[in-house]
């Protein structure tokens, strides 16, 4: 996949779940910012005309993205689409990485046939921490995504190969979504993948952090379980989602200004 032409206008549409909506990175008014907004800013910083829509909604499964967001994205006739979904499916016992990949590939095919360049993502390495038991399932999905990117000539952002994303400081307190620093660095990585120059690099060393005392860490674990894990399990058991009452934050292609 060749890089974006430096001066060419871009109509960019982002589809997916909380990862793309930007949960964990907040504007002062409490709405999600996230890497996609930041990436749109990097596009605009090059002096090109940028129109941007973000259809992603937290908690959505891949079939919901395909049903609700993909047709809307195709209808906007974008030149560039970022597409990341399936993670919420894989957190469920029924999540089959090969079946999910087949659905994702159908979405990619439709976007490419509509004339859009497509950015795909692997996820981060989950071999450590509370999701380590699911590493095989996630890794299998990501290998499928690599193959899809190859077959359909897509840009691929490989988060698995970004060691900076293993640091605690790039993750929000819920330990599931990236922090503002994580979103900032990922936006820089996406810009690099599509060939958009930026003033800073995604892999700049992180500040050194002092080790956390064992008892402090265990209290933090207990607080995380009480405030985030238990409510998440409760939503899964009752078939609810954190995005059930939410709409897309940027449903239409609108001009995005530098620093926007």
């Amino acid at each position: 996949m060749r890089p974006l032409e430096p001066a060419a206008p871009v109509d960019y549409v982002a589809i997916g779940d909380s990862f793309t909506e930007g949960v964990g990175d907040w504007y002062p008014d409490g709405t999600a910012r996230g890497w996609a907004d930041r990436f749109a800013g990097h596009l605009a910083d090059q002096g090109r005309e940028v129109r941007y829509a973000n259809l992603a909604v937290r908690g959505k499964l891949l079939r919901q993205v395909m049903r609700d967001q993909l047709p809307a994205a195709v209808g906007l006739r974008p030149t560039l689409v970022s597409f990341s979904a399936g993670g919420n499916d894989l957190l469920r016992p029924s999540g089959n990485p090969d079946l999910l990949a087949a659905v994702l590939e159908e979405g990619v095919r439709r976007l490419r046939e509509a004339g859009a360049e497509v950015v795909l993502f692997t996820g981060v390495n989950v071999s450590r921490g509370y999701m380590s038991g699911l590493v095989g399932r996630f890794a299998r999905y990501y290998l499928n995504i690599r193959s899809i990117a190859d077959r359909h000539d897509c840009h691929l952002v490989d988060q698995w190969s970004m060691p900076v994303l293993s640091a605690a400081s790039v993750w929000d307190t819920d330990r599931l979504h990236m922090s503002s620093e994580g979103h900032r660095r990922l936006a820089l990585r996406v810009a690099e993948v599509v060939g958009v120059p930026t003033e800073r690099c995604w892999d700049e060393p992180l500040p050194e952090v002092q080790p956390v005392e064992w008892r402090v860490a265990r209290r933090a674990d207990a607080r995380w379980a009480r405030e985030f894990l238990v409510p998440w399990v409760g939503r899964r058991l009752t078939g609810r989602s954190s995005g059930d009452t939410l709409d897309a934050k940027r449903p239409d292609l609108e001009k995005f200004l530098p620093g926007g």
Side-chain angles (χ1 to χ4, degrees):
M1 176 65 74
R2 66 183 182 181
L4 299 182
E5 295 184 14
V10 174
D11 283 350
Y12 167 45
V13 176
I15 62 176
D17 51 30
S18 58
F19 168 72
T20 300
E21 183 189 350
V23 172
D25 181 21
W26 309 102
Y27 286 111
D29 66 358
T31 58
R33 183 183 186 183
W35 67 263
D37 284 25
R38 292 173 180 270
F39 169 61
H42 292 315
L43 289 171
D45 287 343
Q46 302 306 307
R48 73 177 85 223
E49 181 180 345
V50 176
R51 295 196 304 164
Y52 166 50
N54 190 319
L55 310 181
V57 177
R58 67 194 72 176
K60 296 304 180 183
L61 301 171
L62 178 57
R63 60 177 172 78
Q64 295 172 312
V65 175
M66 292 287 291
R67 182 192 67 204
D68 302 330
Q69 298 178 31
L70 185 75
V74 171
L76 292 172
R77 302 184 64 82
T79 56
L80 179 67
V81 176
S82 61
F83 186 7
S84 177
N88 290 318
D89 300 79
L90 292 172
L91 290 172
R92 288 162 167 77
S94 60
N96 183 306
D98 298 320
L99 295 179
L100 288 169
V103 175
L104 182 81
E105 183 163 19
E106 173 60 18
V108 171
R109 182 189 64 78
R110 291 170 60 184
L111 291 168
R112 294 294 282 143
E113 287 179 350
E117 294 193 25
V118 177
V119 182
L120 297 177
F121 299 78
T122 72
V124 300
N125 188 337
V126 296
S127 60
R128 298 178 182 177
Y130 69 99
M131 291 205 306
S132 60
L134 298 174
V135 64
R137 180 183 295 186
F138 277 90
R140 188 167 176 175
Y141 187 50
Y142 301 153
L143 285 172
N144 274 299
I145 290 174
R146 284 179 169 275
S147 298
I148 293 168
D150 285 342
R151 284 194 293 272
H152 296 275
D153 197 21
C154 300
H155 300 280
L156 180 66
V157 179
D158 183 13
Q159 296 183 88
W160 193 280
S161 65
M162 295 174 64
V164 69
L165 295 184
S166 65
S169 61
V170 304
W171 292 95
D172 196 20
T173 52
D174 67 3
R175 305 184 184 181
L176 183 62
H177 300 101
M178 289 186 297
S179 66
S180 293
E181 180 64 10
H183 281 281
R184 184 187 73 81
R185 287 177 180 262
L186 184 60
L188 291 169
R189 177 62 173 145
V190 178
E192 180 183 76
V193 166
V194 302
V196 173
T198 56
E199 292 183 359
R200 301 187 66 176
C201 298
W202 63 267
D203 57 353
E204 293 173 348
L206 288 162
E208 290 190 13
V209 178
Q210 294 296 322
V212 178
E213 196 263 335
W214 186 87
R215 292 181 181 178
V216 174
R218 298 296 74 76
R219 286 197 296 268
D221 290 342
R223 184 170 59 251
W224 167 77
R226 182 175 64 252
E227 295 179 2
F228 297 107
L229 181 60
V230 172
W232 181 86
V233 171
R235 289 196 298 272
R236 297 289 81 74
L237 293 175
T238 56
R240 293 178 292 119
S241 165
S242 57
D244 283 344
T245 61
L246 299 179
D247 297 319
K249 66 179 185 180
R250 297 180 65 95
D252 301 309
L253 280 171
E254 297 177 347
K255 189 172 183 179
F256 200 86
L257 299 175

